[in-house]
Amino acid sequence: MRGEVMWPRLVASKLLRKTLGSNNFVADFPGNTYSFLDLPTLDLEPVPSPKILLTDYHDTQKFKVFVSTWNVGGVAPTDDLNIDDLLDTSNTTCDIYVLGFQEVVPLRASNVLGSDKKKISMKWNSLIRKTLNKKSHDRNNNNNNLSEKQRVTKGKKSNTESSMIQPEFRCLISKQMVGIMISVWVRSDLHPFFRNPNVSCVGCGIMGCLGNKGSVSVRFQFHETSFCFVCVHLASGGREGDERVRNSNATEIFSRTSFPTVMGPSLDLPKTILDHDRVVLLGDLNYRISLPESETRLLVNRKDWNTLLENDQLRMELMDGQAFEAWHEGTISFAPTYKYQLNCDEYYGCGHLGTKPKKKRAPAWCDRIIWTGEGSKQLLYTRSETRLSDHRPVKALFSIEVKVSRTTYRSFCLSERFGCQPRASLDFHSDDEYSGLLSYHMKSKMTP
């Protein structure tokens, strides 16, 4: 009948769109698969019977990675929204930025079953770009305002100062599924070292398959190390037993997330989340505090975080090792991030601004960042104070070990005329611990 909602057809259509391949994402860089290195051509004189020797060894370097998660409650960002406090680029500059969002659109039926609202993700990405590259843009504006004499004087500054200028950040990969969105930004000078970005979406919401709850995972290879970032929004609810539904969501995400097999030499990339070298999970995990609401509020007012964390559902799961076996979380020394009055520092249901709530919403650390595997050291774990929604953003800073390939190419031959062995070698490696910039040295000598 006309006007009747055809649920099976709508659900099937949504599932079909959601599974449209792992390369269906937004990025600044053309193409979805990048070559790691194009070797420069050497102008060497032709010699008889050339041979190539390749010496390959690996080194470990550390890179700074910023990770954040924020449930924005369906509120679209304004053009003048300030996220400087969240990204904190004035004090710290990282090599990779990973930003996860939940509820970038309201979770009503038209958004869950309709096409994803790309304009919202474009707004967030535009805001991220503007904030990450603010230093670079300010420097360019200052240079444009200099007089000719000032430009000449400035041009005489040391190469050391010039080398400290930070490159711009570009979007490596961005993906939205209903309200869940993840956006990965990298330094533009590091881009040649990233390969094979892919995405995988898993819906765990309505009917156990729609995207109002679930995950958007991204993976890529940086130098010789595989990364996977999982942005999740798990089942809500503060009733007893609701944590088991969240555990089930997490188990489904780990089992159903699948990345494509990458064909090619030395590209044996993993297909599942937990098989990657470096794995970080971020999002609104929705775990609550297993205490009566009145006791929870009293302990929050006292800032007794230790007692609250002893009853935190996620901490108990991490200790029991069931849904999150071998996962780690940093020390929490900040207030619960949920649930706040809008545009206010008062928790929902508290203070003179609070009306009698229809549903109980005791404060909780719903928004979390956890990781698994070796090679990742957390340097910072805190929250931001932006008041846009009823959640406060959470952010973490990691120092992550990355395996970098150092390859030496040698060509040589025997010369009957001179009775010696002309040799040329080309060494590729990264010189700077945090830059990852490529350098090469050419050596040519006669070996008697």
Side-chain angles (χ1 to χ4, degrees):
M1 295 177 61
R2 182 173 297 180
E4 182 179 355
V5 178
M6 302 297 293
W7 285 98
R9 183 177 299 177
L10 287 172
V11 172
S13 175
K14 186 66 178 179
L15 290 175
L16 181 62
R17 286 196 300 270
K18 188 169 67 70
T19 56
L20 281 178
S22 61
N23 291 331
N24 183 24
F25 57 83
V26 176
D28 277 343
F29 306 103
N32 296 325
T33 302
Y34 310 109
S35 60
F36 176 55
L37 179 66
D38 292 325
L39 297 179
T41 302
L42 298 180
D43 295 327
L44 299 176
E45 294 183 5
V47 288
S49 304
K51 296 182 179 180
I52 299 294
L53 291 182
L54 183 147
T55 303
D56 191 8
Y57 62 101
H58 294 91
D59 197 5
T60 299
Q61 296 184 14
K62 295 179 180 179
F63 292 84
K64 290 183 179 179
V65 179
F66 172 95
V67 180
S68 71
T69 178
W70 190 8
N71 185 322
V72 295
V75 181
T78 58
D79 294 336
D80 60 348
L81 178 65
N82 190 322
I83 59 171
D84 290 348
D85 176 66
L86 174 61
L87 296 179
D88 197 23
T89 54
S90 59
N91 297 318
T92 305
T93 301
C94 299
D95 303 294
I96 303 172
Y97 285 83
V98 180
L99 293 92
F101 300 90
Q102 302 80 43
E103 296 189 40
V104 293
V105 296
L107 298 183
R108 51 177 176 256
S110 60
N111 289 330
V112 174
L113 293 171
S115 59
D116 293 329
K117 303 297 187 295
K118 301 299 183 183
K119 288 184 178 180
I120 295 296
S121 59
M122 289 173 62
K123 280 188 174 183
W124 280 111
N125 281 329
S126 177
L127 185 60
I128 295 168
R129 185 191 306 277
K130 177 182 176 182
T131 305
L132 287 179
N133 295 319
K134 184 175 294 185
K135 282 185 180 180
S136 176
H137 293 164
D138 289 345
R139 184 176 64 250
N140 291 337
N141 291 335
N142 291 336
N143 288 339
N144 292 335
N145 294 330
L146 292 176
S147 65
E148 185 64 28
K149 183 177 180 179
Q150 288 173 317
R151 287 194 183 95
V152 172
T153 303
K154 188 171 182 178
K156 296 179 180 179
K157 291 186 177 181
S158 65
N159 291 332
T160 302
E161 183 176 346
S162 298
S163 64
M164 295 174 63
I165 297 176
Q166 295 295 332
E168 288 199 344
F169 286 88
R170 306 285 296 278
C171 182
L172 177 72
I173 183 170
S174 178
K175 179 65 176 179
Q176 176 189 350
M177 178 186 73
V178 189
I180 305 171
M181 173 186 165
I182 188 168
S183 190
V184 180
W185 295 72
V186 302
R187 283 169 36 192
S188 56
D189 59 317
L190 292 178
H191 166 246
F193 301 96
F194 287 87
R195 287 183 287 177
N196 304 299
N198 296 112
V199 300
S200 179
C201 299
V202 173
C204 301
I206 300 172
M207 301 176 65
C209 60
L210 294 185
N212 56 307
K213 294 294 190 292
S215 68
V216 178
S217 301
V218 301
R219 77 93 177 269
F220 53 83
Q221 184 161 338
F222 180 38
H223 284 288
E224 302 303 313
T225 300
S226 60
F227 284 74
C228 184
F229 294 92
V230 186
C231 182
V232 305
H233 193 185
L234 304 186
S236 61
R239 295 174 300 181
E240 184 178 353
D242 284 343
E243 68 274 13
R244 290 193 288 271
V245 181
R246 293 185 270 274
N247 294 344
S248 176
N249 286 170
T251 301
E252 279 197 60
I253 288 169
F254 294 143
S255 63
R256 289 169 52 192
T257 299
S258 178
F259 297 101
T261 302
V262 179
M263 305 301 293
S266 303
L267 291 180
D268 186 18
L269 293 180
K271 294 189 65 175
T272 65
I273 292 173
L274 298 178
D275 288 336
H276 287 78
D277 298 321
R278 309 288 181 261
V279 182
V280 178
L281 185 144
L282 55 137
D284 181 358
L285 276 64
N286 256 321
Y287 285 99
R288 310 301 170 93
I289 297 169
S290 296
L291 289 173
E293 181 185 1
S294 58
E295 186 175 352
T296 298
R297 292 186 184 275
L298 180 63
L299 292 170
V300 168
N301 290 335
R302 293 176 179 175
K303 298 185 179 180
D304 189 351
W305 310 144
N306 290 334
T307 302
L308 289 167
L309 287 168
E310 288 174 0
N311 295 276
D312 178 79
Q313 294 173 351
L314 178 60
R315 280 296 170 98
M316 290 188 280
E317 291 299 329
L318 292 171
M319 293 176 63
D320 291 343
Q322 296 180 9
F324 295 97
E325 183 179 0
W327 286 83
H328 313 284
E329 184 179 28
T331 301
I332 292 180
S333 57
F334 51 87
T337 56
Y338 175 84
K339 173 180 171 85
Y340 281 92
Q341 300 274 3
L342 292 180
N343 299 312
C344 179
D345 290 330
E346 293 280 354
Y347 284 106
Y348 184 75
C350 289
H352 65 281
L353 293 176
T355 57
K356 187 175 181 180
K358 296 179 181 178
K359 296 182 179 180
K360 293 183 178 181
R361 290 288 189 270
W365 285 285
C366 290
D367 311 279
R368 312 288 274 268
I369 300 172
I370 59 178
W371 76 95
T372 187
E374 299 179 353
S376 299
K377 179 181 179 181
Q378 193 177 74
L379 306 176
L380 175 72
Y381 193 31
T382 186
R383 59 177 248 175
S384 179
E385 299 304 324
T386 308
R387 295 177 173 181
L388 182 70
S389 74
D390 55 357
H391 289 251
R392 294 295 182 264
V394 171
K395 58 185 177 181
L397 181 63
F398 293 91
S399 174
I400 296 185
E401 296 179 356
V402 175
K403 187 165 65 174
V404 177
S405 177
R406 296 173 179 265
T407 306
T408 301
Y409 297 86
R410 288 188 175 91
S411 63
F412 73 96
C413 69
L414 296 177
S415 171
E416 296 179 357
R417 179 179 179 183
F418 296 105
C420 61
Q421 182 178 339
R423 300 178 61 184
S425 69
L426 189 61
D427 298 339
F428 295 90
H429 62 275
S430 291
D431 287 324
D432 186 357
E433 180 180 10
Y434 283 106
S435 73
L437 293 175
L438 178 69
S439 65
Y440 61 89
H441 306 283
M442 179 176 173
K443 305 171 185 177
S444 182
K445 61 182 180 180
M446 305 294 289
T447 304

